[in-house]
Amino acid sequence: MIPALILYLIRRFKRKSSSAKITNKLISKIKKIRALLFFALMICLSAFTSFNNSESITYNVINGDKTIGTIKTNKNGFKDSETYTIESNIKAKFLFKFNIIGKEKSVYKKGILVFSSVFRTVNNKTKTNHKIVLHGNHYNLESNKNSQALNVSLIKQNLITLYYEEPIGISSVFCDNLKQMAPVKPMGKGQYKVEFTNGKYNVFHYKNGKCIKIEAKSTLFNVDLIPVNHE
């Protein structure tokens, strides 16, 4: 398209005149076209780079030898912000049948958590529904039209980031569901234990910086999360 336009301009000017003055005008126009093309190309490349920083991982939730659900995660980066999402759907039977559906979202700006939300239902009944929003230098917990201050420092990593990043040198992460910090303890060989309340904990396994397995332990049941799709 563009080369054809340049040839057209050359032919057009040749038909009108072969004088040096016309030739100089032609050269000037061609230079302008080249400059515009270069500028447009840089804009396209910049936009592509900004929007192309996206990563998705799907985990199977396994109890014993049975797959009882899936957890789909996504990480999307744009300029100085990152957005993480989790969607889970788990169906199982322990003491009774239950279906857990969950949605979580975390937004970071310049490396600081500015927003997170947790929504979870069990057998179609809402069990968790709250948001955490950064206002200035403090966080507010918003739930059921109520808002209250959350006594935590600025959050640089929460639990969802461990699906994508090995917590090297990290001593704690924020647990959005519990609305509090949880200690991270290195166990060696790329394994890290994240302790919650009431004897619950997760063990994250990494290889070459990538999460390859998550063990979720509790007094009632244990499950493993195994990545099956990484895009």
Side-chain angles (χ1 to χ4, degrees):
M1 179 69 182
I2 300 304
L5 176 60
I6 294 174
L7 288 175
Y8 167 75
L9 289 172
I10 293 173
R11 290 169 184 167
R12 181 180 175 188
F13 277 98
K14 279 186 176 180
R15 284 199 300 268
K16 289 187 174 181
S17 173
S18 60
S19 66
K21 183 177 180 180
I22 298 300
T23 302
N24 289 338
K25 286 184 178 180
L26 173 61
I27 293 173
S28 177
K29 286 185 178 291
I30 291 175
K31 287 181 178 180
K32 289 180 179 179
I33 291 173
R34 287 178 176 174
L36 288 172
L37 287 175
F38 178 78
F39 182 70
L41 179 62
M42 291 300 100
I43 291 176
C44 291
L45 288 175
S46 176
F48 178 79
T49 301
S50 297
F51 284 102
N52 197 41
N53 188 15
S54 181
E55 189 176 358
S56 298
I57 309 175
T58 298
Y59 292 81
N60 276 349
V61 182
I62 300 173
N63 176 248
D65 58 353
K66 295 181 179 180
T67 299
I68 61 173
T70 59
I71 294 179
K72 297 180 180 180
T73 71
N74 178 265
K75 175 185 177 182
N76 187 38
F78 178 73
K79 292 185 178 180
D80 60 353
S81 66
E82 288 182 323
T83 300
Y84 297 83
T85 59
I86 289 182
E87 292 187 5
S88 57
N89 191 340
I90 300 171
K91 296 180 180 180
K93 181 179 180 181
F94 295 102
L95 298 178
F96 56 91
K97 290 183 179 180
F98 63 88
N99 181 17
I100 300 175
I101 295 177
K103 292 184 179 181
E104 298 184 31
K105 182 177 182 179
S106 298
V107 180
Y108 284 83
K109 187 79 170 179
K110 295 181 179 180
I112 301 297
L113 182 71
V114 297
F115 174 87
S116 79
S117 63
V118 179
F119 178 77
R120 185 173 294 116
T121 64
V122 178
N123 294 338
N124 297 320
K125 294 182 179 180
T126 300
K127 293 297 183 180
T128 304
N129 186 13
H130 66 254
K131 299 176 182 178
I132 295 170
V133 183
L134 179 65
H135 293 284
N137 291 321
H138 68 275
Y139 292 96
N140 277 4
L141 171 64
E142 299 178 2
S143 177
N144 297 324
K145 298 182 180 180
N146 294 322
S147 180
Q148 65 183 69
L150 196 63
N151 187 25
V152 293
S153 303
L154 292 179
I155 299 166
K156 296 183 178 180
Q157 277 194 288
N158 63 344
L159 193 63
I160 191 174
T161 62
L162 301 191
Y163 287 78
Y164 290 90
E165 304 167 13
E166 184 174 355
I168 298 175
I170 302 299
S171 60
S172 63
V173 294
F174 183 72
C175 178
D176 304 80
N177 186 42
L178 298 177
K179 304 179 284 290
Q180 64 185 40
M181 301 300 293
V184 178
K185 298 182 179 180
M187 302 171 64
K189 297 182 179 180
Q191 299 179 33
Y192 300 82
K193 183 179 182 180
V194 182
E195 297 180 331
F196 307 119
T197 57
N198 301 322
K200 297 178 182 179
Y201 65 91
N202 287 357
V203 177
F204 288 79
H205 299 250
Y206 297 87
K207 184 177 181 180
N208 298 325
K210 299 290 184 180
C211 182
I212 58 172
K213 181 181 178 181
I214 303 170
E215 299 176 68
K217 306 287 188 179
S218 74
T219 55
L220 293 178
F221 64 92
N222 302 323
V223 296
D224 293 334
L225 279 59
I226 307 296
V228 292
N229 186 21
H230 195 156
E231 298 178 353

